[in-house]
Amino acid sequence: MKNPGRNNNSDSVSEFILLGFPCTWKIQILLFSLFFVIYVLTLIGNLCIICAVRWDHHLHTPMYILLASFSFLEIWYVTSTIPNMLANFLSETNTISFSGCFLQFYFFFSMGCTETFFLSAMAFDRCLAICRPLHYPTVMTVQCCMRIGACCWACGFSYFLLPVYLISQLPFCGPNTIDHFLCDPGPLIKLSCVPDPTIEITCSIFNSVLIFSTLLFITGSYTQVIRAVLRVPSAEGRHKAFSTCGSHLVVLSLFYGSIMVMYVSPTADNPSGIQKIMTLFYSMLTPFFNPLIYSLRNKEMKEALRKLLRIMRFGQRQPLKN
């Protein structure tokens, strides 16, 4: 009997089956509804940030331009995996083609890498603004901000090319069921007919270098910010700065904590249940919380969003003004 996931002309696998969350039909519908609502709210939240920054001229500053770029990235980040996961909840086969699997793998991880670079750029921007306020306008210009954003995208989509290529060259001729809801390196490497520990170690090194280098940079930047804030004579100013930094650090803890559990150690050592839970944290929940954390605690952003809502309510189509 032929395996539907194999090529008729060879023993190589032509498609994979994403196992996802095996459970009863009622639980699957419940999960579908929950994840669909989170996905839609994530899109709406990030789109609102982009529109507010686009239409309010007071937000045409490096900090908010980086924030809008980050929101644009988050939209594509969740879209690279969540729609396919939602479709699989309603599907009986849960199949994905070989090329589709590796395209998802590449785009998801490239945008994840880009996110770490954007978080580093945003931390650098805040550090420069608070610690070097006199130099900030001349150093962090809008043109410089745009170049930093372009560099984040270029580095993010270049960094993981080698690991993706190495894993795609592994022979896949046996079982084609991936015990995950997306194409992740750990389960993919397990399915290879000829396991290659070198590739798994290479992926772990790439992940560790990216995670620890950006995390150390972000930690160093916020350490400088905290030192500068402690020298602020106003108690209200210190409270506001610490509140903002604390919110950012919560997001960073969720994102980096989950990806460190997943990818710093060799991926094969993580049980599939932990892989799925941790992946949900950094692929779905952090993009959902980011608009709330980075924007709704910001007075200028809240005011811009109020203006945007008023314009949408009355059907006006003009730039935001005071």
Side-chain angles (χ1 to χ4, degrees):
M1 187 173 182
K2 293 184 179 180
N3 188 330
R6 295 193 181 186
N7 192 304
N8 292 332
N9 300 322
S10 66
D11 291 331
S12 62
V13 168
S14 61
E15 63 182 21
F16 294 102
I17 298 173
L18 294 172
L19 190 60
F21 301 91
C23 52
T24 63
W25 177 248
K26 290 184 178 180
I27 299 297
Q28 286 192 9
I29 295 300
L30 178 63
L31 291 176
F32 171 85
S33 303
L34 175 63
F35 294 156
F36 178 76
V37 170
I38 293 176
Y39 175 63
V40 171
L41 291 177
T42 301
L43 296 184
I44 293 174
N46 285 288
L47 280 173
C48 285
I49 293 175
I50 295 171
C51 292
V53 174
R54 170 66 179 84
W55 289 339
D56 193 332
H57 296 293
H58 293 91
L59 300 184
H60 290 182
T61 62
M63 180 180 76
Y64 293 108
I65 291 174
L66 285 174
L67 179 59
S69 301
F70 185 70
S71 295
F72 179 76
L73 168 66
E74 293 287 66
I75 290 173
W76 290 106
Y77 182 52
V78 296
T79 303
S80 66
T81 57
I82 303 306
N84 183 73
M85 180 184 72
L86 293 174
N88 285 339
F89 277 118
L90 307 178
S91 172
E92 295 182 358
T93 58
N94 296 359
T95 59
I96 184 171
S97 66
F98 184 91
S99 58
C101 182
F102 278 92
L103 280 174
Q104 183 192 67
F105 176 21
Y106 170 69
F107 280 106
F108 177 67
F109 273 80
S110 293
M111 283 184 278
C113 293
T114 305
E115 180 161 346
T116 64
F117 292 129
F118 262 106
L119 289 171
S120 301
M122 293 166 72
F124 172 73
D125 174 75
R126 290 300 82 208
C127 179
L128 189 62
I130 295 174
C131 301
R132 299 289 186 270
L134 297 179
H135 297 87
Y136 181 77
T138 56
V139 175
M140 187 60 74
T141 62
V142 173
Q143 291 75 15
C144 178
C145 177
M146 299 297 288
R147 287 195 292 268
I148 290 175
C151 185
C152 290
W153 282 97
C155 293
F157 274 76
S158 302
Y159 186 81
F160 226 77
L161 277 171
L162 179 60
V164 172
Y165 172 76
L166 291 176
I167 296 175
S168 68
Q169 298 306 301
L170 288 171
F172 296 95
C173 53
N176 64 333
T177 301
I178 300 175
D179 192 6
H180 212 309
F181 62 85
L182 53 78
C183 292
D184 194 74
L188 278 172
I189 292 174
K190 287 181 180 180
L191 293 180
S192 174
C193 303
V194 184
D196 190 345
T198 304
I199 293 180
E200 187 172 353
I201 293 172
T202 300
C203 291
S204 181
I205 292 173
F206 268 74
N207 291 326
S208 299
V209 170
L210 175 71
I211 293 169
F212 283 115
S213 61
T214 55
L215 181 59
L216 287 174
F217 181 85
I218 293 169
T219 303
S221 297
Y222 278 112
T223 300
Q224 294 297 318
V225 168
I226 292 172
R227 287 179 178 176
V229 169
L230 289 174
R231 295 194 292 268
V232 174
S234 168
E236 182 181 352
R238 289 197 301 270
H239 175 75
K240 180 180 178 181
F242 277 126
S243 176
T244 303
C245 291
S247 302
H248 293 184
L249 291 173
V250 168
V251 174
L252 291 169
S253 298
L254 286 173
F255 180 73
Y256 276 95
S258 56
I259 62 175
M260 286 176 72
V261 169
M262 278 290 295
Y263 300 115
V264 171
S265 60
T267 55
D269 293 340
N270 293 323
S272 61
I274 293 179
Q275 288 186 15
K276 295 174 187 178
I277 294 172
M278 292 296 102
T279 303
L280 280 176
F281 264 100
Y282 69 81
S283 67
M284 177 179 284
L285 294 183
T286 54
F288 171 71
F289 286 121
N290 279 341
L292 302 174
I293 297 297
Y294 280 97
S295 302
L296 297 184
R297 295 180 66 93
N298 183 291
K299 184 178 180 180
E300 292 179 327
M301 179 59 70
K302 284 193 291 186
E303 183 60 30
L305 290 173
R306 289 193 193 101
K307 294 177 183 178
L308 178 63
L309 290 175
R310 285 199 297 268
I311 285 180
M312 295 173 63
R313 182 181 303 173
F314 294 106
Q316 299 176 4
R317 296 180 180 274
Q318 59 185 22
L320 294 177
K321 297 180 180 178
N322 281 334

